[in-house]
Amino acid sequence: MAVSLQDIASIAGVSVKTVSGALHGGSARMAEETRDRIRKIAEELGYVTNFAARSMRQGWMPLIAIIGDELLTSPFATEIIRGLDNSARKADLSVFFTTIGGDHDIAKVYDDVSRFRPRAIGYAAMYHKEVVLPLEVADRIGVMINCRDAAGRVTSLVPDEEAAGHTIASHLVDAGRRSIAFINLPGLLAGELRERGFRAALDDAGLEPVAVLPAVKRATYADRARSLVAQHVGDLMAGPHRPDAILCGNDRVAMEVYAALRKVGAGIPDDVAVAGFDNQVDIVTRLDPPLTTMALPHRAMGRMAAEILQAAEPPEGGLKLLPFQLVERASV
Amino acid sequence: MAVSLQDIASIAGVSVKTVSGALHGGSARMAEETRDRIRKIAEELGYVTNFAARSMRQGWMPLIAIIGDELLTSPFATEIIRGLDNSARKADLSVFFTTIGGDHDIAKVYDDVSRFRPRAIGYAAMYHKEVVLPLEVADRIGVMINCRDAAGRVTSLVPDEEAAGHTIASHLVDAGRRSIAFINLPGLLAGELRERGFRAALDDAGLEPVAVLPAVKRATYADRARSLVAQHVGDLMAGPHRPDAILCGNDRVAMEVYAALRKVGAGIPDDVAVAGFDNQVDIVTRLDPPLTTMALPHRAMGRMAAEILQAAEPPEGGLKLLPFQLVERASV
DNA sequence: TGGCATTGGGTAAACGATAACTCAAGGGCG
DNA sequence: CGCCCTTGAGTTATCGTTTACCCAATGCCA
């Protein structure tokens, strides 16, 4: 069916190896005339390389496989993939994305993708968490994206939540805010770390948080749990320690804070500055005024992951913290 | 490096073909004892099939490739992929997703993915549109998802927008609403078809639309253009033909309509019923009250696409309209 | 003119799995 | 007792590419 090197060879009247050299072997010594002639024939016949055949010799397909713990549900996943793809493409590698789906058996999914003989395999989580990889899999995973290896052996790329918390809190302080509250998502690793950075920054400035409150009753990433935001904001604004800034565990919480502040008639940022985390595009520019927030380094994580997966020698395992970026908008 | 059938064969003291039969040839006649013994050895050695090698004989890799016009930006893409994946998995096929990215050269991307020798290749659009495929590619694309082939030769799976418009409008009428306005997204295929169905349904009921208005000044899918919704809703509610229902071009517009109605003090659904299209999960349950809307058949499209791509003989090209589903919530 | 790089290209052996053959042993049946 | 059929398994060719090795022709220099 498909055109092979052999087909081209017989038409050109040369051997298969010559055709191979002409089309793929960049440095192979060969008469330019021959090379051009072969290229032209290949073009006319519509030849496309057969990666499967090539991989028989090479040992692997020009693929980087990513095992995701969920399907690409979040808009962040898009950014990770984009970073991966951009970087991999430069090395003529494709990114093959799989998900552990319903069965949640990493080892099985690992075997499944191995059948394609990818050059390297990475593991990606949809939100920042700790992951325990089965032993037989752990030392074959080249990199973990947006999650940290509980055992600490696999190189893990995660956002530097704590630094982000510090940066945004300092930004609020620098903007002259002195009474800062934090409405956080409880039970999430990201939230805990952000809060730690927040507290440290206030401490550095010689301030105390006005309040640190949970946004929901029970934490889930999808946070379907009933929101407490309106109630908390109402209490804060009516109480004795009225904040002049509210830092939110993420942009979604900020969205609810906006609604709650509007309800009590407080102006943003004149009465209360609001800031968030994530830079979730759907939300951030849609809010009025647009939200100042810390942008997650998802694309950078993808890019760096691809680089690590392409490397001949995997780097020493360990945690790599990638910096958020402060995005200043009108809410502060 | 990796374990091969040969490795297993030498340990088991049998030929390679016997091992192949034992592990893969389901129906091959063979002593159960031999089969079990070989399977056990394979297990111990951690054997995983080499798809590349297999594909040398079969002619294709167990892959379905999807070329997307954009990266999986929208939450809908997730649903399409999920449908594809579920269905393909049953036939032991994987789904390989690529995107035409920046260069927008379909033919080049087509060649790129062909190098993996996928079983079949589909084309998917992120939102419902018409697509012109280059001729040399068109007859090798097995199915088009969420877009229609301008030439009408490739089987195209698209949501039945017009029927959805008719259904939701009829639903509003059945709920006793008589003064219905439509705030639509201008310039989009989906919007035009939805509006057509809307008008037909009202016509069937002997009604006239109170108004049909554009949600934004200039249409783009991302609709960054400045929204007109608040202004329109304000005018409508203050004007002489006060609507008792507002149908929205999609759920996002409905979100803005909610805000606008709240601003003028109108209750949902008591004063005005609101309905949308898409069933965009982020929005629909977050609104208060939850939004009645028409759910896009994305997963069904994915599922059907996988079936078509797996079929030995592609069906006669043409447009297949997939029905939306009415999701009743408290906004009507 | 003989020796020796250099250039251009051919030969053949892999890679791993499969499938069309082949073959040997044993059992049933006339 | 001989024949054929069934069962179980081995042989070998093959898919498309790459690569290690080899060969022939040419040109250069001593």
Side-chain angles (χ1 to χ4, degrees):
Chain A
M1 188 66 204
V3 181
S4 73
L5 291 187
Q6 179 57 61
D7 300 333
I8 301 175
S10 17
I11 292 180
V14 296
S15 77
V16 176
K17 108 95 201 179
T18 304
V19 178
S20 173
L23 297 181
H24 303 304
S27 63
R29 46 186 197 181
M30 180 168 322
E32 272 310 307
E33 184 270 336
T34 312
R35 190 186 291 267
D36 287 346
R37 190 161 51 89
I38 290 175
R39 285 216 177 122
K40 194 170 298 175
I41 296 176
E43 173 85 12
E44 280 165 11
L45 265 55
Y47 171 79
V48 280
T49 308
N50 185 328
F51 276 161
R54 173 181 291 177
S55 91
M56 294 249 55
R57 301 245 50 190
Q58 320 271 50
W60 41 264
M61 295 281 277
L63 277 178
I64 283 178
I66 303 292
I67 299 175
D69 65 342
E70 306 262 355
L71 204 50
L72 317 129
T73 351
S74 82
F76 308 131
T78 309
E79 285 298 297
I80 295 178
I81 301 275
R82 207 186 293 268
L84 276 163
D85 208 67
N86 284 345
S87 176
R89 201 180 287 273
K90 287 175 194 154
D92 281 316
L93 292 172
S94 298
V95 177
F96 181 48
F97 193 91
T98 335
T99 170
I100 57 179
D103 45 3
H104 286 288
D105 184 347
I106 301 185
K108 183 182 174 326
V109 176
Y110 177 87
D111 278 0
D112 281 356
V113 311
S114 304
R115 298 179 301 181
F116 289 101
R117 295 290 190 275
R119 172 94 172 260
I121 302 183
Y123 184 87
M126 284 307 99
Y127 66 95
H128 189 165
K129 60 169 78 156
E130 187 162 88
V131 170
V132 182
L133 289 180
L135 251 93
E136 70 269 29
V137 171
D139 42 338
R140 308 196 175 201
I141 293 287
V143 69
M144 295 177 66
I145 307 168
N146 207 23
C147 51
R148 35 184 86 193
D149 178 22
R153 294 197 305 179
V154 184
T155 305
S156 306
L157 308 179
V158 296
D160 192 347
E161 315 280 359
E162 193 170 343
H166 196 285
T167 301
I168 189 76
S170 302
H171 179 66
L172 290 171
V173 171
D174 291 347
R177 309 292 166 161
R178 289 292 172 268
S179 308
I180 308 179
F182 191 9
I183 301 187
N184 200 5
L185 288 166
L188 287 180
L189 182 57
E192 286 170 17
L193 294 170
R194 288 167 185 182
E195 186 175 321
R196 194 177 300 172
F198 162 78
R199 287 185 188 275
L202 259 61
D203 202 52
D204 290 353
L207 298 172
E208 284 283 324
V210 168
V212 175
L213 300 164
V216 292
K217 275 186 186 152
R218 271 194 330 169
T220 62
Y221 181 61
D223 50 84
R224 300 200 178 281
R226 216 175 82 75
S227 173
L228 297 174
V229 172
Q231 182 187 322
H232 282 323
V233 170
D235 292 350
L236 280 173
M237 299 305 289
H241 302 296
R242 217 160 178 261
D244 58 8
I246 300 179
L247 180 57
C248 305
N250 67 18
D251 293 338
R252 230 184 235 192
V253 172
M255 185 170 68
E256 299 185 45
V257 167
Y258 267 55
L261 284 174
R262 186 158 300 142
K263 198 169 290 177
V264 300
I268 306 171
D270 298 336
D271 299 323
V272 181
V274 180
F277 293 88
D278 293 357
N279 197 34
Q280 196 167 342
V281 66
D282 282 355
I283 295 176
V284 133
T285 55
R286 241 186 167 60
L287 290 176
D288 178 26
L291 183 69
T292 289
T293 194
M294 297 299 295
L296 277 163
H298 280 305
R299 195 177 300 201
M301 276 168 31
R303 193 166 41 231
M304 187 172 292
E307 281 161 15
I308 291 173
L309 290 176
Q310 287 166 44
E313 278 308 302
E316 199 58 36
L319 207 56
K320 296 224 185 315
L321 300 173
L322 281 83
F324 286 63
Q325 195 152 8
L326 171 64
V327 183
E328 295 187 54
R329 297 202 182 83
S331 71
V332 172
Chain B
M1 189 65 206
V3 182
S4 73
L5 290 189
Q6 180 57 60
D7 299 334
I8 300 176
S10 17
I11 291 181
V14 297
S15 77
V16 177
K17 109 94 200 179
T18 305
V19 179
S20 173
L23 297 180
H24 304 305
S27 62
R29 48 189 192 179
M30 180 167 323
E32 271 310 306
E33 185 270 338
T34 312
R35 190 185 291 265
D36 287 347
R37 191 161 51 89
I38 290 175
R39 285 213 176 124
K40 193 171 297 174
I41 296 177
E43 172 85 12
E44 280 165 11
L45 265 55
Y47 171 79
V48 280
T49 308
N50 185 327
F51 276 160
R54 173 182 290 176
S55 90
M56 295 251 54
R57 301 247 47 190
Q58 320 272 49
W60 41 264
M61 295 281 278
L63 278 178
I64 284 179
I66 302 293
I67 299 175
D69 64 342
E70 305 262 355
L71 204 50
L72 317 129
T73 351
S74 82
F76 308 132
T78 309
E79 285 297 297
I80 296 178
I81 300 276
R82 208 187 293 269
L84 276 163
D85 208 66
N86 284 345
S87 175
R89 202 180 287 273
K90 287 176 195 154
D92 281 315
L93 292 172
S94 299
V95 176
F96 181 50
F97 193 91
T98 334
T99 168
I100 58 179
D103 46 2
H104 288 287
D105 185 346
I106 301 185
K108 180 181 176 326
V109 176
Y110 177 86
D111 278 359
D112 281 356
V113 311
S114 302
R115 297 179 301 181
F116 288 101
R117 294 290 189 275
R119 172 94 173 260
I121 303 183
Y123 185 88
M126 283 308 99
Y127 66 96
H128 189 164
K129 60 169 77 157
E130 187 163 88
V131 170
V132 182
L133 290 180
L135 250 92
E136 70 270 29
V137 170
D139 41 338
R140 308 197 174 200
I141 293 287
V143 69
M144 296 179 65
I145 307 169
N146 208 23
C147 51
R148 36 183 87 194
D149 178 23
R153 293 198 305 178
V154 184
T155 305
S156 307
L157 308 179
V158 296
D160 191 347
E161 315 280 359
E162 191 169 344
H166 195 285
T167 301
I168 189 75
S170 303
H171 179 67
L172 290 171
V173 171
D174 291 347
R177 308 292 166 161
R178 288 295 171 268
S179 307
I180 308 178
F182 191 7
I183 301 187
N184 200 6
L185 288 166
L188 288 179
L189 182 57
E192 286 169 18
L193 294 170
R194 288 167 185 183
E195 186 174 320
R196 194 178 300 173
F198 163 78
R199 288 185 187 276
L202 260 60
D203 202 54
D204 291 353
L207 298 172
E208 284 282 326
V210 168
V212 175
L213 301 164
V216 292
K217 274 184 186 151
R218 270 196 329 172
T220 63
Y221 181 60
D223 50 84
R224 300 199 177 283
R226 218 175 81 75
S227 173
L228 297 175
V229 172
Q231 182 187 325
H232 283 324
V233 170
D235 292 351
L236 280 173
M237 299 304 289
H241 302 295
R242 218 162 178 258
D244 57 8
I246 300 179
L247 180 58
C248 306
N250 66 18
D251 294 337
R252 229 184 235 191
V253 172
M255 184 170 70
E256 300 185 46
V257 167
Y258 268 55
L261 284 175
R262 186 159 300 141
K263 197 169 289 176
V264 300
I268 305 170
D270 297 336
D271 298 323
V272 180
V274 179
F277 293 87
D278 293 356
N279 198 35
Q280 197 168 342
V281 66
D282 282 355
I283 295 176
V284 133
T285 55
R286 244 189 163 58
L287 290 176
D288 178 25
L291 183 69
T292 290
T293 193
M294 297 299 295
L296 277 162
H298 280 306
R299 195 177 301 199
M301 276 168 31
R303 193 165 41 232
M304 187 173 291
E307 281 160 16
I308 290 172
L309 290 176
Q310 286 165 46
E313 278 308 303
E316 198 58 36
L319 207 56
K320 296 220 186 317
L321 300 173
L322 280 82
F324 285 64
Q325 195 152 8
L326 171 64
V327 183
E328 294 187 52
R329 296 201 182 82
S331 70
V332 173

